[in-house]
Amino acid sequence: MELYYSFSVLIVLAALFSYANLRFLKLPGTIGIMIIAMLVSIAIRLLGDSYFPDDTKDMFQLFNSLDFNEILMGAMLNFLLFAGAMHVNILDLKNLRWTIATYATISVVLSAFIISVILYYIAPYFGIQIPYIYCLLFGTLISPTDPIVVLGILKQAKVPKIIETKITGESLFNDGVAVVMFAVVLQIATNPSFDADFSSVSKLFLMEAGGGILLGLLLGFTASNSMKKIDDYKVSALITLSIVMGGFLIAKELHISSPLAMVIAGLIIGNYGKKFAMSKTTQDYLNKFWELIDEVMNAILFLFIGFELLLIEDLMDQILLGIATIFIVLLSRTLSIVIPARTILRKNTFSKGSLIVLVWGGIRGGVSIALVLSMPNSEWKDLLLEITYIVVLFSIVIQGLTVGKVAHRVLKDESDEANKEEMEDYLNSSKL
């Protein structure tokens, strides 16, 4: 009953906040829900004990009892990645495969180290000396763009297709790299006996990422071929549900990346499966089924992010360092995009406008909060949680609400030859 009670409360709150946002705020759904949840959290903190102490106690107990890391990384992320990947055209990703692969790997690593070095030298000016290993830990958890947030916001941002594909592709695949990096750095920080040599790290990454990709291929093609033999939308919906839920259990048992497995499986079912294994009727029902799951999960996720404010003892304690960290993260995002674009990807052309949109569209979200909450309790966990939450709030609210306007403004009158070549190359490759 405890689980049912908690889930019921979350659904009711998500429904109320969704209605209030649509009726009054009229913001993008997920962002509106998060802002309302934050305002309610602030009200509870300021007035709860005086005016409704019993309800306040119940609310604190509810969110303290929920394991945000397990709920997001262990359950919701798999549903949301699968749902998002199902609606991505694999040909778009193929045309930009080297760009996406570079941003999802090299850029994440580069960003983590840039953030860690700057934070290490900047933090003493705010009266605190953070050990470098914890600066690097923060760099690894805040560097990856959040696939859930990015997919949800880009639907409504109306950015150019080529840039949307780059950001979406990067966010879908960079979790594997980030989670492995985070796991290695966390072991170094908390386990002095851990031997983090190149061989062990490479083996861990290959097992996590390679195993996840292989599992995704197996699940995707098996499910598609099964649906081809029946072509029934009700059974097809059950099969896709079993792929996500059963696939997670298999990945957890084998210690491989379930997010990567869900992305690959979703891409296969959304492209190969829809083309060769489903009728138009089945496609239509399946699309609507997963769109509904996507909306419900996103509503609950952003509700979580807003109410996480209740778990932070004093957000204002490190507000200045948090604000400084926003600029550090934006600078690292800029360098991690521009440096590969001008070196590794020099054969591809990138206009100034497209680079600006790629930087501003690198939105952080629940994955970063989940990772920092997964840290064992220490004197640095609360500090990292505070500055992570500040960066995530800025990223979702400010970047999320303005990325469409920024894209429209910087690309509207762009006559840069590089941008023309980029668009022409992409369009020509799409026709092949």
Side-chain angles (χ1 to χ4, degrees):
M1 284 300 293
E2 283 296 324
L3 179 61
Y4 179 77
Y5 169 78
S6 301
F7 189 71
S8 299
V9 171
L10 292 175
I11 289 293
V12 170
L13 290 175
L16 290 174
F17 293 177
S18 295
Y19 175 82
N21 174 63
L22 197 62
R23 182 76 172 79
F24 303 108
L25 297 183
K26 302 186 187 304
L27 294 172
T30 51
I31 297 178
I33 290 171
M34 188 191 77
I35 290 175
I36 295 173
M38 287 174 54
L39 293 175
V40 172
S41 297
I42 294 171
I44 290 173
R45 277 184 172 277
L46 295 177
L47 307 172
D49 289 334
S50 300
Y51 293 95
F52 37 91
D54 292 337
D55 293 331
T56 298
K57 182 180 178 181
D58 291 340
M59 187 66 76
F60 271 98
Q61 287 180 344
L62 171 63
F63 283 95
N64 274 306
S65 65
L66 297 173
D67 187 337
F68 182 74
N69 177 64
E70 182 64 25
I71 291 171
L72 175 59
M73 302 298 287
M76 295 178 67
L77 185 62
N78 297 295
F79 281 94
L80 289 162
L81 286 177
F82 182 85
M86 272 189 65
H87 297 96
V88 173
N89 189 331
I90 203 167
L91 291 178
D92 292 339
L93 298 182
K94 184 180 178 182
N95 296 331
L96 298 169
R97 59 189 178 277
W98 298 119
T99 301
I100 291 170
T102 301
Y103 288 163
T105 54
I106 295 172
S107 290
V108 173
V109 176
L110 184 60
S111 174
F113 280 100
I114 292 172
I115 290 172
S116 65
V117 171
I118 298 176
L119 181 62
Y120 179 75
Y121 286 105
I122 288 291
Y125 290 98
F126 296 89
I128 186 167
Q129 179 66 60
I130 307 174
Y132 177 74
I133 192 63
Y134 282 94
C135 292
L136 183 57
L137 195 62
F138 175 74
T140 61
L141 67 89
I142 205 67
S143 289
T145 54
D146 191 304
I148 301 168
V149 178
V150 168
L151 288 168
I153 289 175
L154 288 184
K155 288 178 184 176
Q156 302 170 329
K158 296 181 181 179
V159 301
K161 180 65 176 178
I162 185 172
I163 297 176
E164 179 184 348
T165 302
K166 287 176 182 176
I167 299 174
T168 300
E170 172 197 2
S171 66
L172 284 173
F173 290 100
N174 64 15
D175 280 344
V177 176
V179 170
V180 171
M181 278 188 66
F182 178 82
V184 171
V185 178
L186 184 62
Q187 283 288 336
I188 296 172
T190 59
N191 184 7
S193 62
F194 178 70
D195 184 17
D197 56 23
F198 179 78
S199 175
S200 61
V201 173
S202 300
K203 182 179 179 181
L204 178 61
F205 176 75
L206 287 174
M207 286 183 62
E208 283 268 347
I213 291 171
L214 289 175
L215 178 61
L217 289 170
L218 177 62
L219 293 174
F221 282 113
T222 301
S224 296
N225 290 326
S226 299
M227 289 186 284
K228 185 178 181 179
K229 296 176 181 179
I230 54 154
D231 192 30
D232 180 274
Y233 69 87
K234 297 183 290 295
V235 178
S236 295
L238 283 172
I239 289 174
T240 53
L241 273 177
S242 71
I243 290 298
V244 176
M245 302 176 81
F248 164 68
L249 296 177
I250 295 172
K252 188 174 183 179
E253 185 68 25
L254 297 177
H255 302 289
I256 58 180
S257 174
S258 62
L260 276 177
M262 293 306 106
V263 169
I264 299 299
L267 285 172
I268 292 171
I269 293 174
N271 289 269
Y272 171 81
K274 286 182 179 178
K275 186 175 181 180
F276 298 106
M278 303 178 199
S279 64
K280 293 294 183 182
T281 301
T282 301
Q283 289 183 39
D284 184 53
Y285 274 101
L286 210 57
N287 284 334
K288 290 176 180 177
F289 175 76
W290 280 100
E291 283 174 10
L292 179 60
I293 289 181
D294 187 47
E295 289 297 323
V296 172
M297 290 287 183
N298 265 302
I300 295 174
L301 169 63
F302 280 80
L303 187 77
F304 265 121
I305 295 175
F307 277 121
E308 282 298 314
L309 194 59
L310 294 174
L311 303 183
I312 300 176
E313 291 186 9
D314 186 2
L315 189 62
M316 302 302 291
D317 185 42
Q318 297 298 336
I319 187 68
L320 294 178
L321 179 59
I323 293 172
T325 306
I326 291 172
F327 292 96
I328 294 172
V329 172
L330 287 174
L331 175 61
S332 74
R333 173 70 178 175
T334 303
L335 295 175
S336 67
I337 291 294
V338 172
I339 292 174
R342 301 304 187 200
T343 55
I344 299 171
L345 300 171
R346 60 186 181 277
K347 291 183 179 180
N348 293 341
T349 53
F350 291 84
S351 69
K352 180 181 177 181
S354 64
L355 288 173
I356 291 173
V357 179
L358 283 169
V359 169
W360 200 246
I363 302 170
R364 276 70 178 181
V367 170
S368 295
I369 295 176
L371 289 176
V372 73
L373 286 173
S374 71
M375 292 172 55
N377 292 327
S378 70
E379 59 179 312
W380 302 110
K381 179 178 179 178
D382 289 340
L383 169 67
L384 294 188
L385 176 59
E386 289 170 16
I387 61 176
T388 298
Y389 198 79
I390 292 170
V391 172
V392 168
L393 288 186
F394 174 87
S395 190
I396 293 176
V397 177
I398 305 302
Q399 292 177 244
L401 288 176
T402 59
V403 64
K405 295 178 181 178
V406 169
H408 179 72
R409 183 166 185 174
V410 300
L411 297 174
K412 181 180 179 181
D413 300 318
E414 185 149 76
S415 58
D416 193 303
E417 191 64 32
N419 190 53
K420 289 182 180 180
E421 283 185 40
E422 182 181 17
M423 291 300 296
E424 288 173 3
D425 288 346
Y426 175 76
L427 292 173
N428 290 333
S429 63
S430 297
K431 296 174 182 177
L432 297 178

